[in-house]
Amino acid sequence: MKTVVSGIRPTGKLHLGNYFGAVLSFLEMQENYQSYFFIADIHSLTTHPTPENLHGNVKQVLAEYLAMGLDPDKCTLFVQSDVPQISELYTYMNMNAYLGELERSASFKDKVKNQRNNVNAGLLTYPVLMAVDILIHKADFVPVGKDQEQHLEMTRTYAKRFNNMYGSECFPLPDAYSQTGKLVKVPGLTNQGKMSKSGGEGDAIFFDDEDNLTHKKIMRAVTDSGPEKPNQEKPEAIQNLFDIMKLVSDDSTVKHFDDLYNACEIRYGDFKKQLSADVLKFVTPIRERIREIKSDDKYLASVAHTGAEKARESAEKTLKEVREIIGFRRFY
Ligand code: AMP
C-alpha cells in the first residue's frame, strides 16, 4: 500500500473551510493509503506560542480531527514532538541544505517581509523540517496546496541529494497527491475571499462555536437590496452564501432559493435563516463530539500514545538506515 504523509497546523479551532478544504481529503486518504497525519507543533515554534497556547491548540485540533472522523485504527495520527527521530533527521538533513536555496524559498521571503522582528533560523530551515516529516516515513504522496508546491520540490531535492551523495536509494521521491474534485474553496461570510481564521470578526464558521454565535454571524452576512433583473448574475457576496449553502443544504433547498433569486422574489432574511439552520444541522453534532472528546483525557492520551508509537516505529526504521548510510556506526 502506498504511503501518504500530511501535516496539520495546530491553529486551534477549525472552520467550515478547513473541513471541506482539508479534512475531507484526510478521510478519503485514511481509507486508501497507509496514512500518517501529524500535528506540526515543532513547526509552530517559529511563531513563539506560549506553552498554554501551544498545548491548548494541539489538543483542540486533535479533538477536532477525531470528531470529524479521523480514525486512529485506520491512520497514524500523532503529535510531531512525540517523535524525536524527526528532530534527529532534521539535524542531519540541515547539513545538506544550502543557504542560497533556503533564502530563495517563497515562504521564507514572505516571512522576512511580514515579520521582520522574528526572522529566526527555524523559519529559514522550515523546508528542511517539512522534508524530514515526509521522508522519515518514506512517503509516496503528499497532499499539497498551491502555496506548498515549492516545498514539495525542495523535499524531492533533499531526497535526491541524499541518495546521490551516498549512492543509496534510501528515500523515494514523493509526488503530489492529487486531490479529488470533492475539495472546494469555501468562501467567507464577510466577502473577503476564502473563509479564514484571520479574515476578521464574523468571517469564519467554527465548529466549536455556540449555535447562537454562528446564527448571528450568518444573519449579519452582507447582502444587497436584491436582484433587479430576472436571472441576473449574483454579486460575490450573494454567490458566496449560495456556495456555502451548496455544501450543507439539500439540492432541493438550494434550487428553491436559486429559483426565488432568479425570479427576483428572494427574501434574504428567509434565505439566511434557512442557511443558518442547515449549517447548524451540519456543525452541531460535530461540535458535541469535539466537546465530548476534549473532556475525555484518557481517550486523547490513548490516541496520542498509540499514534506516537506507530510513528516512532516507522521513523526509527528509516533513521537506523540513515545512520548506517551516513557512517554513524556504533562501536558498542
Ligand atoms: P490553515 O489552518 O488556514 O492553514 O488551513 C488548514 C487547511 O485547511 C489547509 O489545507 C487549507 O488549504 C484548508 N483551508 C483553509 N481555509 C480554507 C477555505 N476557506 N476553503 C478551503 N480550504 C481551506
Side-chain angles (χ1 to χ4, degrees), residues 30 33-37 70-77 310:
Q30 73 175 355
Y33 295 90
Q34 167 136 20
S35 319
Y36 292 90
F37 302 127
L70 272 202
D71 181 346
D73 289 331
K74 293 183 179 166
C75 66
T76 303
L77 176 59
K310 284 202 276 179

Side-chain angles (χ1 to χ4, degrees), residues 23-38:
V23 182
L24 266 190
S25 73
F26 281 36
L27 298 182
E28 191 186 274
M29 282 181 244
Q30 73 175 355
E31 300 297 333
N32 302 311
Y33 295 90
Q34 167 136 20
S35 319
Y36 292 90
F37 302 127
F38 65 95

Side-chain angles (χ1 to χ4, degrees), residues 94-124:
N94 269 325
M95 312 303 172
N96 299 336
Y98 294 101
L99 185 60
E101 65 195 2
L102 293 170
E103 280 176 334
R104 278 195 299 278
S105 135
S107 65
F108 181 68
K109 283 199 248 177
D110 187 55
K111 293 284 182 330
V112 170
K113 227 173 27 201
N114 296 322
Q115 53 178 71
R116 278 173 206 278
N117 54 355
N118 181 23
V119 184
N120 57 65
L123 280 176
L124 183 71

Side-chain angles (χ1 to χ4, degrees), residues 9 11 15 17-18 21-22 184-186 194-195:
R9 294 197 311 156
T11 49
H15 51 68
N18 298 127
V184 289
K185 190 183 99 177
V186 182
K194 68 176 203 169
M195 182 176 286

